[in-house]
């Protein structure tokens, strides 16, 4: 989703801004732009729809020079994908603004600003920020005060960076609902919506808090809280390793990330699980005390992370004897819900910045949950900072918009949480041993599973001309079927639906014909015979099936069914293992269809607006 980069330096900042935007490309966007305070005192701007490279080419054609500048990748919310709607937005001849989030009262602001003589040149909500700040500046105050007065008039979410042509030595930034991070350099300072953007120029960061407004010059950073009081915020040294240009020889980040799964799952387990179970304090100091009293878990998430939570519900209730609810964050935050006694709120998020999940966490705090835990992949992210407990998944930077390794490490984390909560709720010795030993076997099993790639490439050939598909699973494989369907629609644009296969006869059977491939996940578990009956129901109606099956599950290929053997696995790790072939299937179908695998159309990696 939208990305922000800004810089105040002695050197020309154009390359820093463009490189920053390239590093944010993975988040998804549809247009890009840059504005500079030129050395001759003019304010210049270049904007383009499409890729950052098109913006960079346009910049290269001219003489873009500036020591203070802001840049943006836009993911359209208000107003179509056009150059005039791309950021930065100007208020005539003076103010330049980039903005992530949504100004919800933009209509009334627009009317009031129009009546004061401002002309709007875009359809965006963002342009109201530029004119509001301009109006405040006209009363004679400095940029900082103008922004502080302006933000009081905005309802909604914003991470915004503002420049004033009359004061080229600084940018002023404001955060409410959309993250911003200040990067500290030597004699130069930076701002971005994501630290990834600034890694080539600094590793020292200040994460702004909700309501903060900050003034950034080459030598100083002054931060004020929502009441206007000066505040100090911690400086954090980043240890993120990320070379945005490095696909390690793979054609796409997504394929690289699929193949990284054995390694990142191993990292995720390291020093956390030994032969006897969990090592001490893996959910942070004080977690064990909290877990002792937990009687219910409420999981909240979006997208792929929601599927991880759905799988976890099966595990927590089956093995840890803890009742569990799971809900999509955007639903939870807008309905009245009942808080169970001794209920732990668990949010899951690869980015830690998903607007709906963050809002759900804030709501849960008001509702009186006993504590909150986030399972997250980004240290320092908003969810990590605002939750009582944080468990890092250690998947490393995930660049492909379609989540892969973040998902399997989330599932791994949930098995560890199952052990931790099970300790206090009577997990059986047999289940504990089974979870621990299957976790130990997991990285090697993932490697073995990745080796079946070739079969899946062939299968993708048969699949790529279809327009619709149905994914079936039962029990803890039902969420995996949902995740498989999500992957396929995200990157190949083939319509895919997932059903718990027991529901087949309640509707989806009506859709079955030879044009509707049916994908079945079939581990050798206690539900296998039930699943086989569902397979027969599809076969009897002329359906064509692709069955990912345990080699001992006794499925064999024939003219209506293609069977792909998946390595046998013991214990509860099967959902993690069966995720792999479904990821590969989506990847190879997308490859054949020639879609933009790493940045699929209309989607964003980090959804910071609701
Ligand atoms: C976006 C991403 C998905 C992700 C979802 C939730 O839609 O494209 O890959 O699953 O957001 O994001 P989160 O960061 O909260 O896991």
């Amino acid at each position: 989703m939208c990305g922000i980069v800004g810089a105040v330096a002695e050197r020309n900042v154009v390359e820093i801004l463009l490189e920053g935007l390239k590093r944010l490309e993975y988040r998804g966007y549809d247009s890009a732009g840059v504005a500079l305070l030129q050395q001759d005192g003019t304010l210049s701007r270049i904007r383009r729809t499409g890729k950052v490279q098109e913006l960079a080419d346009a910049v290269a054609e001219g003489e873009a020079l500036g020591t203070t500048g802001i840049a943006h990748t836009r993911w359209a919310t208000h107003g179509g994908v056009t150059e005039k709607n791309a950021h930065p937005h100007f208020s005539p001849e003076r103010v330049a603004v980039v903005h992530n989030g949504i100004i919800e009262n933009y209509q009334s602001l627009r009317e009031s600003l129009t009546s004061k003589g401002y002309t709007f040149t875009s359809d965006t909500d963002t342009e109201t920020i530029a004119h509001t700040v301009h109006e405040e500046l006209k009363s004679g105050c400095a940029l900082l005060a103008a922004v502080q007065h302006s933000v009081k008039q905005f309802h909604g979410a914003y991470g915004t960076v503002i420049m004033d042509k009359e004061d080229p030595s600084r940018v002023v930034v404001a955060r409410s609902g959309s993250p911003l991070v200040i990067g500290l350099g030597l004699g130069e300072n930076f701002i971005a919506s994501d630290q990834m953007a600034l890694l080539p120029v600094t590793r020292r960061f200040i994460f702004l808090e909700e309501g903060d407004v900050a003034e950034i010059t080459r030598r100083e950073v002054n931060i004020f809280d929502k009441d206007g009081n000066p505040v100090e915020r911690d400086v954090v040294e980043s240890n993120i390793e990320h070379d945005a240009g490095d696909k390690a020889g793979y054609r796409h980040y997504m394929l690289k990330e699929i193949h990284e799964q054995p390694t990142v799952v191993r990292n995720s387990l390291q020093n956390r699980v030994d032969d006897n179970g969990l090592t001490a304090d893996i959910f942070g100091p004080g977690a064990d005390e909290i877990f002792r009293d937990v009687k219910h878990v409420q999981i909240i998430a979006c997208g792929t992370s929601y599927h991880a939570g759905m799988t976890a519900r099966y595990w927590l209730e089956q093995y840890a004897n803890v009742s569990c609810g799971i809900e999509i964050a955007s639903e939870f935050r807008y309905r009245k819900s009942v808080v169970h006694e001794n209920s732990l709120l668990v949010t899951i998020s690869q980015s830690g910045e998903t607007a709906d999940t963050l809002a759900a966490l804030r709501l849960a705090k008001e509702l009186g949950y006993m504590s909150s835990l986030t399972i997250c992949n980004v240290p320092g992210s908003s969810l990590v900072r605002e939750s009582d407990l944080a468990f890092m998944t250690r998947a490393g930077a995930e660049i492909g918009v379609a989540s892969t390794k973040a998902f399997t490490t989330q599932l791994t984390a949930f098995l560890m949480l199952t052990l931790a909560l099970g300790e206090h709720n009577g997990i059986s010795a047999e289940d504990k041993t089974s979870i621990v030993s299957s976790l130990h076997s997991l990285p090697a099993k993932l490697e073995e599973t990745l080796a079946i790639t070739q079969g899946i490439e062939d299968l993708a050939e048969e699949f790529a001309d279809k327009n619709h598909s149905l994914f079936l699973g039962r029990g803890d494989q039902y969420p995996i079927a949902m995740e498989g369907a999500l992957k396929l629609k995200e990157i190949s644009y083939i319509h895919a639906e997932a059903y718990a296969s027991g529901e087949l006869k309640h509707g989806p059977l009506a859709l079955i014909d030879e044009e509707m491939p049916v994908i079945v996940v079939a581990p050798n578990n206690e539900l296998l015979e039930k699943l086989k009956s569902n397979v027969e129901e599809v076969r009897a109606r002329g359906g064509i099936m692709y069955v990912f099956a345990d080699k001992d599950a006794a499925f064999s290929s024939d003219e209506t069914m293609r069977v792909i053997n998946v390595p046998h696995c013991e214990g509860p790790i099967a959902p993690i293992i069966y995720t792999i072939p479904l990821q590969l299937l989506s990847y190879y179908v997308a490859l054949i269809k020639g879609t933009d695998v790493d940045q699929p159309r209309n989607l964003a990696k980090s959804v910071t607006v609701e």
Side-chain angles (χ1 to χ4, degrees):
M1 196 147 278
C2 307
I4 286 176
V5 195
V8 190
E10 197 165 11
R11 54 178 161 156
N12 184 10
V13 295
V14 177
E15 285 310 317
I16 297 169
L17 298 177
L18 290 173
E19 175 60 22
L21 290 188
K22 282 186 185 151
R23 287 172 166 261
L24 295 180
E25 281 192 294
Y26 77 99
R27 296 166 66 102
Y29 68 102
D30 41 48
S31 52
V34 58
L36 294 163
L37 284 169
Q38 307 262 46
Q39 278 169 334
D40 63 3
T42 56
L43 184 58
S44 69
R45 166 174 70 179
I46 300 179
R47 299 178 292 178
R48 288 292 180 272
T49 56
K51 296 287 181 190
V52 171
Q53 191 51 50
E54 287 168 47
L55 175 70
D57 292 344
V59 168
E61 280 169 21
E63 279 254 337
L65 265 179
T67 52
T68 299
I70 55 179
H72 191 260
T73 44
R74 171 175 189 253
W75 189 84
T77 58
H78 291 64
V81 181
T82 56
E83 204 166 293
K84 72 168 186 177
N85 287 334
H87 302 207
H89 287 287
F90 284 1
S91 186
E93 309 304 323
R94 182 154 187 196
V95 177
V97 170
V98 289
H99 163 226
N100 287 355
I102 295 172
I103 302 298
E104 286 169 0
N105 58 332
Y106 78 101
Q107 285 288 20
S108 58
L109 286 170
R110 204 173 162 117
E111 280 160 27
S112 136
L113 289 159
T114 306
S115 71
K116 287 177 185 147
Y118 289 95
T119 306
F120 282 79
T121 57
S122 78
D123 310 314
T124 66
D125 51 327
T126 300
E127 204 179 346
T128 59
I129 301 181
H131 296 320
T132 306
V133 173
H134 196 169
E135 184 64 12
E136 291 293 335
L137 284 169
K138 275 191 194 163
S139 68
C141 59
L143 182 61
L144 173 66
V147 173
Q148 283 172 319
H149 297 159
S150 298
V151 293
K152 293 201 174 82
Q153 301 168 50
F154 303 148
H155 303 160
Y158 51 83
T160 184
V161 184
I162 300 152
M163 296 193 304
D164 174 12
K165 194 182 79 167
E166 308 294 315
D167 186 1
S169 62
R170 72 199 66 229
V171 296
V172 172
V173 312
R175 177 204 164 140
S176 180
S178 274
L180 282 178
V181 57
I182 296 171
L184 303 173
L186 284 176
E188 52 189 17
N189 288 312
F190 312 95
I191 182 78
S193 51
D194 179 334
Q195 55 185 311
M196 288 290 185
L198 301 177
L199 288 177
V201 283
T202 184
R203 302 194 81 83
R204 295 173 64 232
F205 294 105
I206 296 173
F207 293 92
L208 289 178
E209 309 251 320
E210 282 300 282
D212 282 355
V213 174
E215 176 179 51
I216 302 171
T217 66
R218 273 181 53 217
R219 300 207 178 275
E220 274 183 51
V221 170
N222 299 311
I223 306 173
F224 302 86
D225 68 12
K226 61 178 184 323
D227 302 317
N229 303 313
V231 278
E232 293 287 325
R233 302 276 179 232
D234 292 343
V235 177
V236 180
E237 196 84 30
S238 171
N239 56 7
I240 292 186
E241 280 175 31
H242 169 222
D243 183 348
D246 180 17
K247 295 194 186 120
Y250 289 98
R251 186 156 165 196
H252 292 99
Y253 284 110
M254 183 181 178
L255 189 60
K256 170 179 174 254
E257 288 157 4
I258 289 173
H259 282 272
E260 279 173 351
Q261 289 176 108
T263 306
V264 296
V265 165
R266 195 172 282 122
N267 291 345
S268 194
L269 291 167
Q270 199 169 32
N271 301 328
R272 287 171 166 171
V273 185
D274 64 19
D275 290 347
N276 302 316
L278 299 180
T279 58
D281 281 345
I282 68 165
F283 289 90
D288 211 43
E289 232 157 81
I290 293 167
F291 288 176
R292 191 167 300 145
D293 295 329
V294 171
K295 292 285 168 256
H296 180 78
V297 171
Q298 176 63 48
I299 303 177
I300 303 287
C302 303
T304 289
S305 297
Y306 172 71
H307 296 151
M310 278 186 77
T311 317
R313 184 178 60 167
Y314 287 89
W315 292 337
L316 287 168
E317 298 212 343
Q318 179 170 351
Y319 303 113
N321 304 313
V322 177
S323 68
C324 177
I326 160 88
E327 190 160 2
I328 293 166
S330 55
E331 287 297 311
F332 176 83
R333 66 179 286 195
Y334 288 121
R335 76 177 183 90
K336 181 175 176 297
S337 60
V338 174
V339 184
H340 292 238
E341 210 177 312
N342 287 19
S343 190
L344 173 72
L345 185 95
V346 179
T347 56
I348 323 151
S349 174
Q350 46 87 22
S351 65
E353 300 295 351
T354 302
D356 283 322
T357 312
L358 199 51
L361 168 66
R362 290 173 184 158
L363 172 67
K365 285 183 176 176
E366 288 168 22
L367 291 176
Y369 279 83
M370 66 177 284
S371 192
S372 60
L373 162 71
T374 190
I375 293 176
C376 188
N377 196 36
V378 179
S381 60
S382 302
L383 279 172
V384 168
R385 283 180 292 116
E386 294 189 29
S387 300
D388 299 325
L389 302 169
F391 184 89
M392 305 316 303
T393 47
R394 302 181 185 161
E398 189 177 71
I399 306 296
V401 164
S403 187
T404 53
K405 62 177 181 169
F407 178 64
T408 43
T409 53
Q410 287 170 343
L411 291 175
T412 308
F414 270 122
L415 279 177
M416 291 186 256
L417 184 65
T418 303
L419 285 171
L421 291 173
E423 281 301 329
H424 302 293
N425 289 281
I427 189 171
S428 72
E430 199 187 329
D431 284 341
K432 182 178 168 182
T433 309
S434 156
I435 296 174
V436 170
S437 72
S438 67
L439 280 174
H440 284 306
S441 71
L442 183 54
K445 269 296 162 206
L446 288 167
E447 261 155 30
E448 214 182 309
T449 310
L450 280 165
I452 64 175
T453 311
Q454 185 52 48
I456 295 177
E457 278 186 73
D458 297 345
L459 192 151
E461 294 277 355
E462 293 174 29
F463 209 92
D465 64 336
K466 304 295 184 216
N467 294 317
H468 307 278
S469 59
L470 187 62
F471 284 67
L472 298 179
R474 291 195 84 125
D476 60 10
Q477 295 287 353
Y478 168 44
I480 301 310
M482 293 178 77
E483 175 59 12
L486 177 64
K487 284 289 88 83
L488 191 71
K489 60 188 134 185
E490 278 179 315
I491 62 166
S492 76
Y493 315 150
I494 292 176
H495 169 224
E497 276 199 72
Y499 264 87
S501 50
E503 276 290 292
L504 257 183
K505 56 182 87 60
H506 299 294
L509 267 186
L511 299 171
I512 301 295
D513 63 17
E514 62 285 356
E515 287 307 311
M516 175 87 155
V518 179
I519 294 92
V520 185
V521 266
N524 191 4
N525 63 17
E526 64 290 349
L527 290 170
L528 181 63
E529 291 313 315
K530 301 279 175 209
L531 187 78
K532 283 187 169 173
S533 306
N534 302 138
V535 164
E536 290 312 316
E537 290 164 4
V538 175
R539 192 201 298 275
R541 280 139 190 107
I544 306 291
M545 280 170 293
Y546 299 89
V547 184
F548 292 94
D550 188 295
K551 63 178 173 23
D552 301 333
F555 281 100
S556 43
S557 295
D558 56 31
E559 65 280 5
T560 60
M561 183 157 79
R562 174 113 174 236
V563 179
I564 300 97
N565 282 326
V566 178
H568 175 72
C569 50
E570 300 285 348
I573 57 169
I576 310 179
I577 298 299
Y578 281 76
T579 298
I580 304 291
L582 300 187
Q583 293 170 344
L584 289 168
L585 175 65
S586 303
Y587 175 78
Y588 286 112
V589 172
L591 206 60
I592 294 167
K593 294 197 73 176
T595 58
D596 191 346
V597 172
D598 285 331
Q599 289 165 35
R601 68 184 181 201
N602 306 337
L603 299 182
K605 183 73 186 161
S606 181
V607 180
T608 49
V609 294
E610 66 169 289

